[in-house]
Amino acid sequence: DVKVTQSSRYLVKRTGEKVFLECVQDMDHENMFWYRQDPGLGLRLIYFSYDVKMKEKGDIPEGYSVSREKKERFSLILESASTNQTSMYLCASSLLTGFRNEQFFGPGTRLTVL
Amino acid sequence: DQQVKQNSPSLSVQEGRISILNCDYTNSMFDYFLWYKKYPAEGPTFLISISSIKDKNEDGRFTVFLNKSAKHLSLHIVPSQPGDSAVYFCAASGMGRGDKIIFGKGTRLHILP
């Protein structure tokens, strides 16, 4: 079974803080993704990575950056958290490149920015 | 501009009956469609997918139908079971490597006893 774990289930931060969300997958998947889920908006892709040290912007990358130093780990960074970044953040991985392939999601991190 | 639309935020269906979840898309370049299911406090899980070269794909109780001319797809669950109560997301992707995935807003399905 593929397992995708996220470092925290709940996180509360203050405006202006630097925030790190960590994601680890244990199935040697090439591809990793970060989404945010907001009520009435569904899932929106923030960033994704097809390989170590590689990253590509999704649909809403503004205010975020990512890091992929090791194949199994993909970090989402909020350089200076703002209240509009309060959301559920979901990490996913997939074996094959491209978005047609089944993605395996972590349980999510609910981030509140005060 | 919503490219993938799930116009019903919620749907209630009696246990044992058929559940039909609908999804419309506007981008004719989409050629691959996926359905994910999400329980509260868990990440989404992949359910079923369909390529645009097909008009139907079946997996157990789940069938997805694609009507390309109408830019419409639907997920049928027969028979509906209590464990099917969840949020269902429709998603679409294009052919090119640069094409990403677009999710709909989701439909919450309630299976009534």
Side-chain angles (χ1 to χ4, degrees):
Chain A
D1 260 6
V2 176
K3 196 165 183 187
V4 179
T5 55
Q6 295 184 229
S7 51
S8 306
R9 294 300 300 267
Y10 299 93
L11 209 52
V12 179
K13 296 290 181 181
R14 296 207 175 273
T15 302
E17 279 193 80
K18 190 168 186 175
V19 182
F20 293 87
L21 302 182
E22 306 285 344
C23 175
V24 177
Q25 50 92 5
D26 66 358
M27 283 301 291
D28 203 35
H29 282 179
E30 299 289 336
N31 313 288
M32 298 188 75
F33 312 86
W34 274 107
Y35 296 87
R36 63 179 280 178
Q37 182 193 359
D38 299 288
L41 293 176
L43 277 72
R44 293 181 292 165
L45 181 66
I46 304 171
Y47 266 98
F48 59 103
S49 169
Y50 287 143
D51 201 352
V52 174
K53 297 198 186 289
M54 174 270 174
K55 60 185 178 184
E56 290 199 30
K57 291 179 180 179
D59 295 315
I60 52 164
E62 297 79 18
Y64 303 95
S65 62
V66 289
S67 172
R68 192 159 181 209
E69 296 295 320
K70 293 185 177 182
K71 190 176 185 180
E72 68 271 17
R73 188 180 297 269
F74 192 34
S75 303
L76 180 69
I77 303 155
L78 287 66
E79 293 291 340
S80 176
S82 63
T83 54
N84 64 12
Q85 292 178 309
T86 291
S87 186
M88 170 69 82
Y89 289 88
L90 292 159
C91 175
S93 71
S94 70
L95 177 62
L96 301 174
T97 298
F99 290 94
R100 298 147 174 262
N101 304 291
E102 177 182 357
Q103 294 184 32
F104 296 84
F105 284 83
T109 296
R110 184 165 293 284
L111 172 68
T112 302
V113 182
L114 302 175
Chain B
D1 181 30
Q2 247 187 296
Q3 296 188 63
V4 177
K5 302 177 186 179
Q6 293 179 259
N7 291 320
S8 299
S10 68
L11 177 67
S12 295
V13 175
Q14 209 73 36
E15 183 179 354
R17 297 286 186 99
I18 182 171
S19 295
I20 300 176
L21 294 95
N22 294 304
C23 179
D24 297 295
Y25 61 97
T26 57
N27 189 340
S28 57
M29 298 304 290
F30 288 149
D31 71 337
Y32 201 83
F33 305 89
L34 310 95
W35 285 93
Y36 283 84
K37 172 180 176 179
K38 186 180 185 299
Y39 292 120
E42 294 184 16
T45 54
F46 171 77
L47 201 54
I48 194 169
S49 62
I50 188 167
S51 164
S52 61
I53 62 172
K54 293 186 170 184
D55 54 19
K56 176 183 172 181
N57 189 24
E58 196 170 347
D59 183 2
R61 295 186 298 114
F62 302 92
T63 303
V64 56
F65 295 91
L66 176 61
N67 182 334
K68 289 184 287 293
S69 60
K71 294 192 181 69
H72 176 82
L73 61 155
S74 59
L75 174 68
H76 292 214
I77 307 173
V78 184
S80 300
Q81 297 175 353
D84 296 330
S85 294
V87 176
Y88 290 79
F89 290 100
C90 171
S93 183
M95 289 177 61
R97 184 190 163 93
D99 288 337
K100 304 182 190 81
I101 189 167
I102 304 292
F103 282 84
K105 294 181 179 181
T107 295
R108 184 176 298 278
L109 177 64
H110 300 269
I111 303 302
L112 305 170

